[in-house]
Amino acid sequence: MEKFVLMTLPYEADALEPVISRATICFHHGKHLAAYVNNLNALLPDSGFEEATLEEIVCKATGGILNNAGQILNHELYFGQFTAPKEGNVPLGRLLVAINRDFGSFETFKEAFHKAGATLFGSGWVWLSADKDGRLLITQETNAANPVQHGLKPLLTFDVWEHAYYLDYQNRRPDHLAALWKIIDWEVINWRYA
Ligand code: MN
């Protein structure tokens, strides 16, 4: 049974260099994410979630089904938000207005988001999400958790599992997080916010 399939990356494996290397992309997408997809497909038969969407599974399941579905949802958002590096890469449009409203400025938001990622203990994800009124907030989630579990709409995420950066940055998680701002595709984030 192959209900879920490994997402196709919207860029070449070396397109994000030097921020994220081809080797990291190949392991992270081709090995780690692929394993979550294979694991979930193997767990689905007779689980009661055969017909469920990924988000439904993440909001209702427990145990291995939840963990693997959560990691698929998280990584689809993660890999889907990047583009080739550029200097002076900043948010635009309605999202920038909301960032300024809810955090004061893009720089203040960046500092808070970076700190949330740098201080998250162990494996997890830092998220920018919108609540039902469109208000923005930053949350830390451990392991495979996703803000949809709290009724939030996830917009932007940094993966702070070591597999996301160890080949390129070893223990220097903050350096990795600082570099990620160059490859955020803010048009994608704006589209998610709309
Ligand atoms: Mn990951």
Side-chain angles (χ1 to χ4, degrees):
M1 177 169 175
E2 288 195 2
K3 172 169 172 142
F4 293 104
V5 295
L6 178 64
M7 71 179 287
T8 302
L9 292 174
Y11 38 76
E12 297 299 319
D14 61 359
L16 309 181
E17 292 188 343
V19 175
I20 303 177
S21 69
R22 168 190 284 273
T24 290
I25 289 290
C26 288
F27 274 98
H28 199 179
H29 172 266
K31 302 291 184 187
H32 289 275
L33 178 53
Y36 297 129
V37 173
N38 291 336
N39 291 344
L40 181 61
N41 284 330
L43 290 166
L44 279 181
D46 302 318
S47 67
F49 292 104
E50 295 92 333
E51 306 303 321
T53 66
L54 211 45
E55 292 201 1
E56 287 168 347
I57 296 173
V58 169
C59 289
K60 293 175 187 168
T62 57
I65 293 181
L66 169 61
N67 289 336
N68 286 287
Q71 284 295 73
I72 298 169
L73 182 60
N74 294 353
H75 284 95
E76 288 184 353
L77 290 162
Y78 175 79
F79 286 121
Q81 70 188 1
F82 293 136
T83 189
K86 50 186 167 190
E87 297 298 331
N89 187 30
V90 294
L92 45 138
R94 195 168 155 254
L95 183 72
L96 180 58
V97 172
I99 286 174
N100 288 335
R101 179 195 65 205
D102 295 336
F103 298 101
S105 69
F106 177 54
E107 283 307 313
T108 308
F109 159 71
K110 261 173 75 174
E111 282 172 28
F113 198 86
H114 180 91
K115 188 177 174 195
T119 61
L120 200 164
F121 188 76
S123 294
W125 301 76
V126 56
W127 295 90
L128 174 70
S129 300
D131 70 11
K132 60 179 170 38
D133 300 317
R135 194 156 298 276
L136 300 176
L137 62 164
I138 296 168
T139 58
Q140 294 171 315
E141 302 287 350
T142 57
N143 297 321
N146 185 291
V148 295
Q149 294 166 314
H150 319 301
L152 299 171
K153 181 195 280 189
L155 306 174
L156 169 73
T157 190
F158 287 0
D159 183 348
V160 301
W161 285 57
E162 285 187 344
H163 68 221
Y165 60 86
Y166 214 83
L167 290 177
D168 301 335
Y169 297 84
Q170 293 80 47
N171 61 314
R172 292 175 287 115
R173 186 200 284 182
D175 292 351
H176 169 67
L177 298 179
L180 286 177
W181 298 107
K182 293 181 188 146
I183 58 169
I184 304 300
D185 187 339
W186 287 106
E187 288 191 25
V188 169
I189 311 303
N190 238 326
W191 177 81
R192 289 175 182 170
Y193 184 56

